[in-house]
Amino acid sequence: MSQAWFSRYAWGVLLWNVLVALWGAYVRATGSGAGCGAHWPTCNGEIIPRSPQVETLIEFTHRATSGLAFLTVLLLAVLAFRLFPKGHPVRLGAGLSLLFMLTESLVGASLVLFGWVADNVTPERAVVQMVHLANTYFLLASLALAAWWASGGAPLRLKGQGAVGVALLLGLLALLFLGMSGAVTALGDLLFPVRDTLEALERSLTPGEHFLVRLRVLHPLIAVSVGLYVVFAGFLVAHLRPSAQTRGLAQALAYLYGVQLLAGLVNVWLKAPVWMQILHLLLAYAVWLAFVLLAAAALARGARRVELGEGEASQAHRGTGGATWQDYLALTKPRVISLLLLTTLLAMLIAAQGWPGTGLFLAVALGGYMMAGAANAINMVVDRDIDARMRRTARRPTVTQRISSRNALLFAFVLALLAFFLLTFGANLLAATLALMGLIWYVLVYTLYLKRRTWQNIVIGGAAGAFPPLVGWAAVTGDLSLFAWYLFALIFFWTPVHFWALALMIQDDYRAVGVPMLPVVLGERVTVMQIALYAVLTALISLMPLLLGELGLLYLLLSLALNALLILKSLALYRQPERRTAVSLYKYSMLYLALLFVAMAVDRVL
């Protein structure tokens, strides 16, 4: 066999093992795991069962296909060591595949021999189910890497990968954790079926229910948060390790995860039918394998490491050293965060209609600051080239190189990780997920995709700044009411007013670096018209909570005064589109938002 044929064989072995794993899921979903009794490797004491029941036939077929999968992996390992020289990565991939195939067989045997099948509801079965899923992931990853390397993929270079290595490791661990939570959720769906989603939610929140029932409600939130991070990490890695392979795999990962989340929603809506569980698991395998191959492409020997100063503009990302804590604080953009953090904390007061508790308040304040600071630090790395040519941003620590891009990214990932855990355990998973969503929207949607492509960048991308009040509200209530979404909409429509006023002030800088902000693309007259339009929309949105009866007379009077001044300043800018009126509107817009949230909080408390 030539190495070219071996490559095809390796991909075929991977496909076969995916199918075998899916058939194993079918065995579990149909409750056929005890089809061969407590016997292993025989089936009901026979090598080939005679007159088998349907469950016996299903389980025996799984054992037969698993045995064939074992032989294919064994042959893969033998051929790898015969065809490839010592030290070739294919040998490593094939060797790991054989190791995980052995452990896969042992875990499968333990499920049968210890009776962790059919209607067994013990904690041991749940633990082994998670171990089984993790081992399957490791087996498929090893097979995929063996096939990748056999097809010409370069060996890995693990040392010196900086934040990219951290991002990929976190992504792999997150997907593994998600898969394990999915395995437990699927087991709960099998053993504790429900009539509808409402019953599932009610039972999961009922004290004294079985732990499989109570854990089931967490899986969708875990799926959303992990999915957000994985897609974000994929595109960030593709930006920092640019190649056709990393870009293609990052895009495939995003599409696959979008379909996976949709399939998850359908699975819940249909009350987890067997065929939907199999499709859901297939997509989970596809996402896992796409991320593994993305990691292999990004960490390949010879891949250009942008943030480490390799390739074009090699010196730009290297630090000169001597950074102080003030430099790292500057990375977080504290002045920018201050207003966002204020809306977060005031949203907590609005939601609680009073003081939400000191511990919760401090956890959200610190976690919210760290998550926003992480987003700003990543933004400084990505935009270092244009920041260096703009007067407003020329003194940022990444531009002056007091902090290297590598250290800035590591700092950002540490901040984001700590923030997520602090918000999860100090508040709840929903608040942490929303904070992560804000980071990802700012970095991925605004900075990496929209900012340099369209003048609508701040309209769509600016939604990142509207997530903080959702975080504060969710931290207090554990959900998102219509009022919370009004707070989101208020900041969403306010952002163009605020930012386009700034863009008018520094439009020459944006023009010089080629960023298509609205004044640069369509001119001052169109910009001031858009500002006036969004000012009116902001005023209308700010009055909507009054229609819900959530706010009273005090807020009505204060909001009317604040909105009147906002519209008047917008009209003044329309009549005289010059720096003086733009500065006035820009400064007032910040005061407007702060005072409007204060008015809501005071009204709700009183």
Side-chain angles (χ1 to χ4, degrees):
M1 178 183 285
S2 67
Q3 291 185 2
W5 277 103
F6 177 87
S7 171
R8 299 189 188 98
Y9 175 71
W11 289 113
V13 172
L14 172 62
L15 176 60
W16 177 253
N17 277 271
V18 169
L19 295 175
V20 170
L22 293 175
W23 187 253
Y26 181 78
V27 172
R28 174 196 48 75
T30 57
S32 304
C36 288
H39 300 85
W40 193 91
T42 61
C43 185
N44 291 324
E46 301 174 323
I47 297 177
I48 300 178
R50 290 171 290 181
S51 303
Q53 301 290 329
V54 174
E55 293 80 3
T56 303
L57 185 61
I58 293 173
E59 168 65 6
F60 179 75
T61 302
H62 177 55
R63 292 190 184 186
T65 53
S66 298
L68 182 57
F70 184 93
L71 294 177
T72 61
V73 173
L74 178 61
L75 180 59
L76 180 79
V78 171
L79 291 173
F81 279 82
R82 287 179 60 88
L83 294 173
F84 294 88
K86 185 177 180 180
H88 198 285
V90 170
R91 286 189 168 197
L92 174 63
L96 288 175
S97 299
L98 183 57
L99 172 63
F100 289 121
M101 177 56 79
L102 287 169
T103 54
E104 185 87 344
S105 302
L106 292 175
V107 173
S110 68
L111 286 170
V112 174
L113 295 176
F114 288 96
W116 294 323
V117 292
D119 297 326
N120 185 288
V121 295
T122 61
E124 292 81 3
R125 182 183 183 185
V127 172
V128 176
Q129 198 79 31
M130 290 189 290
V131 172
H132 200 11
L133 185 282
N135 194 87
T136 301
Y137 269 30
F138 291 143
L139 171 62
L140 297 181
S142 300
L143 289 170
L145 289 173
W148 175 267
W149 287 323
S151 302
L156 300 183
R157 176 175 55 180
L158 299 179
K159 291 184 179 180
Q161 293 292 350
V164 168
V166 174
L168 291 171
L169 177 60
L170 289 176
L172 292 170
L173 292 176
L175 283 174
L176 187 62
F177 178 71
L178 173 60
M180 294 167 71
S181 75
V184 172
T185 301
L187 187 60
D189 290 336
L190 171 67
L191 299 176
F192 301 96
V194 293
R195 292 187 303 273
D196 50 40
T197 304
L198 181 60
E199 182 187 352
L201 183 61
E202 290 175 347
R203 291 184 62 182
S204 67
L205 298 176
T206 302
E209 274 283 8
H210 195 275
F211 74 96
L212 289 175
V213 176
R214 303 192 69 184
L215 288 176
R216 181 160 46 190
V217 73
L218 293 178
H219 181 65
L221 272 179
I222 295 172
V224 172
S225 59
V226 169
L228 288 170
Y229 174 76
V230 164
V231 172
F232 160 72
F235 280 106
L236 183 61
V237 166
H239 178 77
L240 298 173
R241 297 291 182 274
S243 71
Q245 290 175 333
T246 55
R247 285 190 290 268
L249 287 167
Q251 290 175 357
L253 185 64
Y255 291 133
L256 283 170
Y257 212 94
V259 176
Q260 169 74 322
L261 287 179
L262 180 61
L265 291 174
V266 174
N267 191 40
V268 172
W269 180 51
L270 297 178
K271 299 186 289 296
V274 173
W275 67 270
M276 197 65 222
Q277 291 185 48
I278 302 302
L279 176 60
H280 197 37
L281 184 60
L282 173 61
L283 289 168
Y285 289 156
V287 169
W288 168 255
L289 292 175
F291 198 83
V292 167
L293 294 180
L294 173 64
L299 302 179
R301 190 179 301 163
R304 182 162 68 93
R305 299 177 294 184
V306 171
E307 83 287 3
L308 299 183
E310 295 179 353
E312 301 174 5
S314 60
Q315 297 298 323
H317 293 276
R318 296 178 181 175
T320 58
T324 65
W325 67 268
Q326 290 100 327
D327 294 313
Y328 280 96
L329 180 63
L331 274 181
T332 64
K333 302 182 186 178
R335 286 193 298 177
V336 174
I337 290 180
S338 59
L339 184 58
L340 299 177
L341 190 60
L342 181 65
T343 61
T344 306
L345 300 178
L346 288 173
M348 296 179 71
L349 298 177
I350 296 169
Q353 298 188 39
W355 185 245
T358 303
L360 179 62
F361 189 84
L362 292 177
V364 173
L366 183 57
Y369 185 94
M370 289 194 298
M371 190 68 80
N376 288 329
I378 297 172
N379 169 267
M380 283 195 191
V381 173
V382 175
D383 280 350
R384 193 219 58 81
D385 58 329
I386 59 176
D387 284 348
R389 294 181 286 154
M390 295 176 64
R391 290 188 299 272
R392 186 174 65 96
T393 56
R395 301 304 302 167
R396 286 178 173 175
T398 47
V399 176
T400 61
Q401 298 187 49
R402 291 179 64 84
I403 300 177
S404 67
S405 293
R406 174 185 182 275
N407 290 344
L409 286 172
L410 286 172
F411 175 70
F413 273 100
V414 170
L415 276 185
L417 186 63
L418 291 176
F420 188 84
F421 281 109
L422 180 59
L423 289 170
T424 299
F425 296 106
N428 52 59
L429 183 56
L430 178 59
T433 301
L434 289 166
L436 179 63
M437 190 178 296
L439 178 148
I440 292 170
W441 197 275
Y442 181 63
V443 174
L444 199 61
V445 178
Y446 173 68
T447 304
L448 283 174
Y449 187 75
L450 293 174
K451 185 172 182 177
R452 308 191 194 202
R453 284 182 170 86
T454 172
W455 66 268
Q456 291 281 359
N457 47 22
I458 199 60
V459 178
I460 303 171
F467 280 96
L470 296 183
V471 174
W473 189 284
V476 172
T477 65
D479 59 21
L480 294 175
S481 70
L482 186 58
F483 195 175
W485 288 110
Y486 275 129
L487 298 180
F488 177 93
L490 174 64
I491 297 181
F492 180 83
F493 285 99
W494 164 88
T495 300
V497 179
H498 170 72
F499 195 87
W500 282 336
L502 172 64
L504 282 171
M505 295 157 49
I506 58 172
Q507 59 180 297
D508 291 339
D509 276 353
Y510 284 127
R511 185 175 291 106
V513 298
V515 175
M517 289 300 174
L518 182 57
V520 175
V521 178
L522 298 180
E524 293 183 351
R525 178 53 59 183
V526 172
T527 302
V528 295
M529 290 176 63
Q530 290 284 332
I531 287 174
L533 173 63
Y534 275 96
V536 172
L537 290 173
T538 301
L540 293 175
I541 292 292
S542 70
L543 297 175
M544 283 186 178
L546 291 163
L547 302 178
L548 298 176
E550 298 281 0
L551 297 169
L553 180 62
L554 175 62
Y555 174 75
L556 173 62
L557 297 176
L558 291 173
S559 63
L560 287 175
L562 291 169
N563 283 313
L565 191 53
L566 179 70
I567 293 174
L568 286 174
K569 284 187 174 291
S570 300
L571 293 176
L573 179 62
Y574 176 78
R575 289 194 299 268
Q576 293 180 306
E578 56 190 36
R579 180 176 177 80
R580 178 181 58 81
T581 50
V583 170
S584 177
L585 176 60
Y586 173 71
K587 291 182 177 179
Y588 174 72
S589 65
M590 292 186 286
L591 182 64
Y592 164 85
L593 189 67
L595 292 179
L596 200 66
F597 269 75
V598 169
M600 291 185 203
V602 172
D603 188 281
R604 294 272 286 184
V605 170
L606 295 180

